[in-house]
Amino acid sequence: MEHIVIIGNGVSGITTARHIRKNSDKRITVISGETDHFFSRTALMYVYMGHMKFEHTKPYEDWFWKKNRIDLVRGFVQKINPDNKTLELTGGDSIGYDKLVLAVGSKPNKFGWPGQDLDAVQGLYSYQDLESMEKYSPSTKRAVIVGGGLIGVEMAEMFLSRGIDVTFLVREDRFWGGVLPKQEGELISRHIKKHHVDLRFNTELQEILADENGRARAIITKEGEEIECQFVGLTAGVSPNIDFIKNGKIETNRGILVNEFLETNVPDIYALGDCAEFHQHPTGRRNLEQVWYTGRMMGETLAQTICDNKTPYRPGMWFNSAKFFDIEYQTYGWVYSELKSNENEFYWEHENGEICLHLVFDKTSNALLGINTFGIRMRHEVCEKWITTGKDMNHIMEHLKDANFDPEFYKQYENQIVNQYNQQNGTTLKAKKRDWKRIFVKN
Amino acid sequence: MKFIKNSGLLICIAGFAFFVGSIFIGDHNVTPEKFNDWVNSKGIKSEIFIKNAEQEIVGKTFSSIQLSSTIIELAEKSTQEHQDNIQLWQNSGGQDEKINEEWSKVIWTSWSSTHKDFTYPLLQATINSPVKENQWLAFFLTFGLAIIGGLLYIIPDFILLGPAGIKNNKLFQHSATNRGWGGIVTAVFFVVFYFLLYFFPDLIINPILTTNKISLSLSGNPASQWFMYGLIYCSVMTVFAVKMYIKYRHNLYQIIRTTVVLFFQVAFAFLIPELLVRFNQPWYDFKNAWPLNYTFFFDWNINSLLNSGHLGMFMLVWGIVLTVIVVPVMVYFLGKRWYCSWVCGCGGLAETLGDPYRHLSNKSLKAWKFERYIIHLVLLFAVVMTGATLYSYFSGATSILGIDTYSIQSWYGFWIGSIFAGVIGTGFYPILGNRAWCRFGCPLAAYLGLVQRFKSRFRITTNGGQCISCGNCSTYCEMGIDVRSYAQKGQNIVRSSCVGCGVCSAVCPRGVLKLENAPEDGRIIDNPILVGKDEIKLQV
Ligand SMILES: Cc1cc2nc3c(=O)[nH]c(=O)nc-3n(C[C@H](O)[C@H](O)[C@H](O)COP(=O)(O)OP(=O)(O)OC[C@H]3O[C@@H](n4cnc5c(N)ncnc54)[C@H](O)[C@@H]3O)c2cc1C
Ligand code: SF4
Ligand code: SF4
């Protein structure tokens, strides 16, 4: 029986394993150095804040793996020998494979800051990171978080839930400036400040100072300001966790290089998820996409290929979502931080400054290209249909209510939005009533 | 703010302390008149008991526990003597007539019914206590302080918890909400309360009296333990509804749902029935549907309705229409939620007082399997019991297939109606979560669930591929539904047990879940491959 070995029990590795099991009887082994069982990394913050216990982050009960004949091995792979198809684990064990799947994920970026390896200086990625945050929290009065992205804001929320003050250093002039357009960046910045985070724009870390025990006691910014703190969170992005693969036979760049079938240059070795980088993304998206959904979709695809139904990766329209304190964010298609030359935009913001809808469309055809929404939930299928079939803005405005996914009785803003659109464009569109038939029609 | 909150807690605790403390004050002075009234009203025929009781009880002063246990001791003693006599006569082949007469003198005792049926009226009639003398003051010191304190404790959260949003911080780190000592103490308190309420109301005469004035002004009758319970129920729900309003002030679904369920409790389960009594009509809760309302078809209820003229007749017909037509039709259009989390009193308490415990429900597959067996067994039992009751009612036979109808009824009333629904269902909130009864025991929920699962427009729609498997939804599902297991596969949630509380949707940080009523077509999605994967769509 063919033996499939998967390194990494994150969403990519586990999705692959589950779908291989669905489609075949192959022997499956999953190796991870992090935890015994698959858990949802995205929920680490909720464990810290007491919304959940760690066990709740596990999407499958512990008996699931045995029942589905997925063997779990706890250990770190330190070397891959493609020539005789074996893996070496720290501790000396070795495991043979017929096909190898690399789903080793990422690690937090460190940019060579002086003091970055002190105690109480860390990112938030792994279960172990969570444990060490727990360890340092009781003795932390102020934490400095470096890097204004999604994990940074999660970390800020975590500390605030324990009454720990947070100073948040952001290199750009607004929160998540590399991704969010100005309007949304400012909206979220306001919200973060409302939660009493000391948010500093255009501020970069220079160095971290140690106390006599080798623990962070303060940071110095590039401007020379010293900020006293007992914890430094490094959340300036992540990069593929591939040190043990580099300089071997497997070709790497920032990540492990793969083609559209998620094959590496070495036969029978595949890579996917956070650690995989496309030579050329099969549908022209970014070559390295480190999010939950892509890991899952790649896993579903790769399982097909491994089960002899060779399938190229076609992720379809880009989508993502996040939550910044109390404001939910969803995005469909592409809304870049700056408009491209062929793009035009429509932006509506509620007078409370916490809800907005940002549509980007093609200048000439008026076809919708991307949606950002804050504080309004939108229906994935409807947005996808609009964007993939290139519906124009008039159509979008008239059918906006179909896309609303907020809970029942929520105040709806479509009429306001369409009014503003009419005013700005001299049109006389009206938002049609929501129609189940349109929403659920299969195409 | 913190100060107000803490003072609120102290005031609330003081209210509870007065309430509990009142159990231990006052005494009973059994006058001959009161004793005779009681003997007559209870139809006590045992001259042995009466004679002994006149010696030992009448004219004396007791505490509640002393009096209650003395009466029961005497009753048991007299019963023993009567039974000895019967034995003797039977052995000597005595006359049946005499034996039968002796049997009628026997006072049957059991811990679960004697206190509430036998001793309670006498204790109630004979109490002397400061509570009895100052009923309004007593009401203020108990209910008043507890409510005011509770509100003072809760309202500062509006500021303390920060801007509106999901604030479940520390739920799993606090002993009260994570099965720690706080939770256990609360559970013990609840359980003891239910035992006293259901089985030993004769020991809580003073607490009952604290609500006497209210009862008099509503129905004109003195307060019973059930009136007190109704008032506690409504007060607790109101205070905790305020907590819901603050916690979910950003979520109109929760606010409206909480308001409606509170309204149905206060108006339909409390005020209207009490006012009906005032106008000499039967006590009737128009929203309480069979088989949750398992006594609906009991002969005493049917008779009482039949004897109450047009209104009684209407109540009888309405009760049947409610179960047979209204309930399933509404479930078809709106899902079982219209009843379970918008109307029902059990659901109402679970969604208010029980909200801080919702995450304690068991999410395992095992629990789900157990749930499916037990809840349908209870439904089956309720149907069989009602069938037997109606059979007895129409045929006049007291037993069916050799089983006495009355004992089926009392078995059900004791185990399901009291122990399961009350002691376990509510008492164990801090241990089993807030919907243990609704999930495992309620026969009406089982019935609604069948309709919801097989013929309904209701579902929880999963928003394409947006789920990040974080598990908030499953953790906060009070029914222990593993919502995530559907959401992460892009499947809609169609489950018989879902009560549509809407909290999974509220706590989802990615906006993945929406409760909605939509065409049945496409309600259940079996496709395990998610959106965004054009290539594999063919291959299911
Ligand atoms: C706090 C946080 C919040 C996030 N929130 C979101 C979100 O809201 N939405 C979103 O789309 N994405 C989010 N992400 C990103 C998302 O979690 C990742 O994209 C996803 O988990 C990547 O999955 P993966 O399976 O590729 O890798 P991982 O989940 O990183 O799994 C890799 C596993 O391999 C193990 N491993 C690595 N090397 C070895 C070795 N040599 N031997 C043995 N085991 C090894 C690692 O220990 C790890 O357990 C978040 C990430 C974090 C950290
Ligand atoms: S809460 Fe939302 S994102 Fe999290 S597992 Fe449930 S559906 Fe998925
Ligand atoms: S599935 Fe959601 S709506 Fe249904 S009972 Fe559970 S939490 Fe409530």
Side-chain angles (χ1 to χ4, degrees), chain A residues 39-68:
Chain A
F39 73 97
S40 181
R41 206 171 286 302
T42 52
L44 285 174
M45 65 181 291
Y46 300 110
V47 178
Y48 180 92
M49 298 200 300
H51 295 207
M52 294 191 212
K53 291 206 241 184
F54 178 69
E55 67 192 55
H56 297 116
T57 68
K58 294 194 257 181
Y60 305 93
E61 290 183 59
D62 292 349
W63 49 258
F64 177 89
W65 310 105
K66 190 153 185 215
K67 177 160 175 270
N68 287 285

Side-chain angles (χ1 to χ4, degrees), chain A residues 49 51 61 296 315 378 380, chain B residues 169-170 365 463 476 530 532:
Chain A
M49 298 200 300
H51 295 207
E61 290 183 59
R296 193 200 68 228
M378 291 185 77
H380 190 161
Chain B
N169 292 350
K170 302 207 164 109
L365 193 64
N463 202 11
Y476 286 90
L530 282 184

Side-chain angles (χ1 to χ4, degrees), chain A residues 6-15 31-35 37-45 73-80 88-90 102-108 123-129 150-152 154-155 158 238 241-242 244-245 272-276 289-296 298 318-323, chain B residues 466-468 509-510:
Chain A
I6 300 171
I7 310 181
N9 68 349
V11 61
S12 317
I14 290 303
T15 309
I31 307 173
S32 170
E34 187 180 8
T35 48
H37 300 105
F38 171 45
F39 73 97
S40 181
R41 206 171 286 302
T42 52
L44 285 174
M45 65 181 291
V73 174
R74 180 84 187 264
F76 264 108
V77 177
Q78 59 182 15
K79 194 155 184 263
I80 302 169
E88 280 171 33
L89 270 60
T90 43
L102 301 171
V104 293
S106 329
K107 57 180 189 326
L124 171 63
Y125 192 84
S126 64
Y127 179 69
Q128 287 71 24
D129 290 339
L150 296 175
I151 298 179
E154 288 186 2
M155 215 186 221
M158 291 160 78
V238 296
N241 178 20
I242 54 170
F244 76 108
I245 296 170
L272 78 165
D274 271 26
C275 67
E289 288 180 337
Q290 291 159 307
V291 289
W292 184 265
Y293 319 104
T294 50
R296 193 200 68 228
M298 287 183 194
W318 166 257
F319 62 92
N320 197 5
S321 56
K323 189 170 181 186
Chain B
Q466 288 279 23
C467 173
I468 50 168
R510 295 296 178 270

Side-chain angles (χ1 to χ4, degrees), chain B residues 466-474 483-484 487-488 504 507-513:
Chain B
Q466 288 279 23
C467 173
I468 50 168
S469 302
C470 69
N472 272 293
C473 51
S474 299
V483 181
R484 164 175 58 191
Q488 66 189 357
C504 54
V507 298
C508 173
R510 295 296 178 270
V512 177
L513 305 165

